[in-house]
Every structure is written in structure tokens, then in C-alpha cells.
Amino acid sequence: MRDQPDSFDAGLLTRGAKLKKAAELRAIINLAPSSSNPMHRREMLKNTALSAGLLVTPRQLRNFRMPGDFTKADFGSNFKWGVATAAYQIEGAWNEDGKGPSIWDTFSQNPKNIKTKENGNIACDFYHRYESDISLIKQLNMDVFRFSLSWSRLLPEGTGRVNPKGIGFYHQVIDRCLEVGVEPWITCYHWDLPQALQNKGGWTNRESVNWFSEYVNLITQKYGDRVKNWMVFNEPMAFVGLGYILGLHPPGYRSIKKFNAAAHHVTLSQAEGGRIIRANVSNAHIGTTYSCLHVEPKNEKEKHAKAARKLDALMNRLFIEPALGLGYPMGDLNLIHGIEKHMQPGDDEKMKFHFDFIGLQNYTRLVARHSLWPPVVWANEVKPAKRGVTEITEMGWEVYPEGIYKILRQFAAYKGVDKIIVTENGAAFPDVVEGEFVHDKQRVNFFKNYLENVLRAKQDGVNVQGYFVWTLMDNFEWAEGYKPRFGLVYVDYPTQKRIIKDSGYWWQEFLK
């Protein structure tokens, strides 16, 4: 998952101006979450008991209805259903068993960096509770557990010395998945660069391509015999944009120059990571994920249409087009003209890699307008509240189910995109515990309406072959802290008690 953006800086902005515009730009680079249609009625579910002894009672079931217009079978027998997570957001055990610090360990220790002044030191304590948490995935009738590996848990200094206890932990996670009948899908990198490598410049250092290659070589050799589904990166636009130009995520830079350097080295690493997986893992199924959102202009005026093209180039096209052999979208984005300074002979070819699938992650849409702020981009967002939107998530994102249909069509139009999997989709709403229940009707409606649009895209010819919910359980939502809750399972953080929400039971019945 992700956070939201803030302001651009290349020595052009004063600190006061940055702070003034912080809220205005928060939704532009954050891509982590329309109106929802009422769900059709269907015969109420009969009482049923879960294998773990959790009873689904009539009181729970009255708060949601089964889908009426489609079923699991409509998506096809080979369609993958799963949940997605990220290591730093759930694992905890931040300094146990030889793990080195990551940039998020460092960043979150400073309470000024997190809205709620919290950190991920304990998070969901998945490190100690993985067996029961993976059992929950099976209870929900999901096929797939998408999880990321903590680079600094495996290589405490980022390169060189391997931590055997870290290696062993992920062996145990994979073994548990296979034991209960859940397919493990690994994300190599989900934002938690080892702090030791950040001390050497992080992604702004071209050596980062070699660091990342060493890491991917290690994990594919260790786990490639049992794990065949791999994703190289989670949302490069999010971690490069938020970390190197907006300063909202680690390493906290606000520099166009650093942004361009990091963007190019991540693009090279994206392709090189794919090549290493292909070489090391037999029968590998390789992808990478992008934060995507449908962008449309405020109205038909050309200046707003131009602003929409700029933001589409920044948010949706910047990292996928080099992999497809199209190069960077220079013509629509002045911001990245400095990226050429970081390119060396042969890089155009090195950026290319043919992925077996593209992971598309969608939460909302963006309505663009021409703006003198921020400079260089000359485009900004029209906030949902200013457009009269009434259904907004706790992250401030408009609920717009048709957006996932539109962005699926947009990405499917690329030559070279053979298959798409929705690797994240979900919503944060205020959840209230009532006894042993969490009646999250808004989230149930969210999933039904978004799934309707995924199916619509599939029926219109988009080769979408999977849908992964963000997320299994409530967790540390990056710079937002623990307040936003996206999970199908409620986590009471002081006690680490898990409560399956109505949305979790809805999925369980839908996938039965």
C-alpha cells in the first residue's frame, strides 16, 4: 500500500510554500485507494461454522448480501484470487534475529514523520504469528498469498553477509503456505531498502542496480524451487516519488535531480531483476506492479487536457513504458528531462524486459486541472470534495469503481502487455468493533462494485487473470500510521487479536 504526495522541489520553493501546498498535492503521487451501486439482494446465507471454530451468525450476515449479478465462476476457472501484504507493514520484529535496519525502521523512529507518531516495530507481529495468519487466508478461501521479503532481514548490510535466521523465516512462511494449500507469490521489493545502502546514496547511486541484483539472485536461489510467481517491485512511482521528490517517505528528499537519478536506476533494476528471476527460476511467472489510476481533465479545455496528459505520464506511464521498449515519456513530462544525465550507453536496451504479467494496483481516479503549481509539472488535482464527491475513503480518496475498468483498458492497449493481474485493490473505512463483529458494509459494497468493473473489462477482452485484495489484515499504513484500516481482518493492536470483518466473510462465501 501507500501514502499520498505533497510538493515538488528543485530549490525553487520556499519552505513556507511547500507546507502551504502539502495537502494540495498529497493525492497526486500516492496511488496506493464513484459512487457505489446498491448490492442486489440474494437469499440470506445459512449459518455456517469456520474450521477454526469461528461461527458466522445471522447477526453478522444481515449486514451484507451476496453478489447478485456475477459469481466466482464468471471470472473463469483459472482466475487467481488472493490477498496482498508488505513485510514492513505486518512483520514487526524490526531488530530481532539478526535483522538489519531498513529505511522505514529509521524513518518511523522519528515521530514527526508519521501522522500518528507511531512506528512499525511490532506492526501485526506476523513474524511470530505467521502460521495462524496464513491459516486465516485459507479460511477466507483465497488461492494466493502475495507477500514481500524484507531485504535487510536477509542481508543486514544490504549486500555481502547473509542472515541465516532471516532466510529460515521465509522458508517457514513458504512451507506454511504450501501446507495449507495457499500459493505463495513473492514481491522482491516493497519499499524497505536496507539503511546501510541508503547511507551510500540509496537508489540515487547507480550501484543500486548491482545491490538489487545480488539480493534478487540470493532470494531466487533460496526460494525458487517452491515459489514460481514473482513480482520485482511494488509501485516504483510511489516509492520513488514519495521518497525522492516529495519527502513524505524515506529517505525524505525533495529534489528533482535525486528523483530522476532514482527513477532511472529503479527502471534499470526492474528489468535486471526480471532477467535474474528468469535465469534462476524454472517455469517462473514474472511480473512487476504499478500504482495506476484513471486520469481525466476537469473539463474539455485544452489546458486541462494537457494537464491530464502530464499527470498520466507521471503516474501511469513513467516506469512501464521503458520496460516495453518505448523509452521514457519525455514528450509529455518536462519534469524528467534531466533523467538523460543519468543514462549511459546501452541503457535503452537494459531497461527492457518482457514481463509475463503486469500487476495493476488501483484505488481511485485523478481529475486534473492546469495549474501554475507545482512548477515544471504545471498540473494539479481537483480534490474530490471540491467536485462534490460524497463517497470518500478514510485516505481521502474518491470511490470510483469505473476507474479500474478504464485503467485496465488503458494498460491492456499496450503492445507487450500479455496479461494483467489486479495485485492490489481495497479501501480504508472507519471500522467499529461491536462485540466480536466488525460490520463494514461500505467495504463489502466497494469490493462488489469494483469487481463488477473488473469483470466488465474481462468480458470486453482485457486479459485480466487475477484479483488480490489489499489487504489481509489491518496494518501499519506507512506515514499514515495505524489509523487507516484496509484489512479483511480487524487487528486490535494492543492485544494483537484478530477479528474477521463482514467483508472477510463476504469473500469467504463468494469464493466458496
Side-chain angles (χ1 to χ4, degrees), residues 233-250:
F233 281 128
N234 184 79
E235 298 182 346
M237 185 59 230
F239 74 80
V240 177
L242 291 165
Y244 286 88
I245 199 170
L246 300 181
L248 296 176
H249 284 192

Side-chain angles (χ1 to χ4, degrees), residues 284-323:
H285 183 228
I286 307 169
T288 196
T289 83
Y290 300 106
S291 44
C292 313
L293 74 177
H294 169 63
V295 181
E296 61 187 70
K298 173 183 176 181
N299 56 41
E300 295 181 357
K301 290 183 179 180
E302 175 57 27
K303 65 179 182 180
H304 299 311
K306 187 175 181 180
R309 289 194 295 271
K310 288 177 178 291
L311 292 181
D312 179 56
L314 180 65
M315 309 309 297
N316 297 322
R317 298 167 50 200
L318 180 56
F319 289 93
I320 188 172
E321 292 189 354

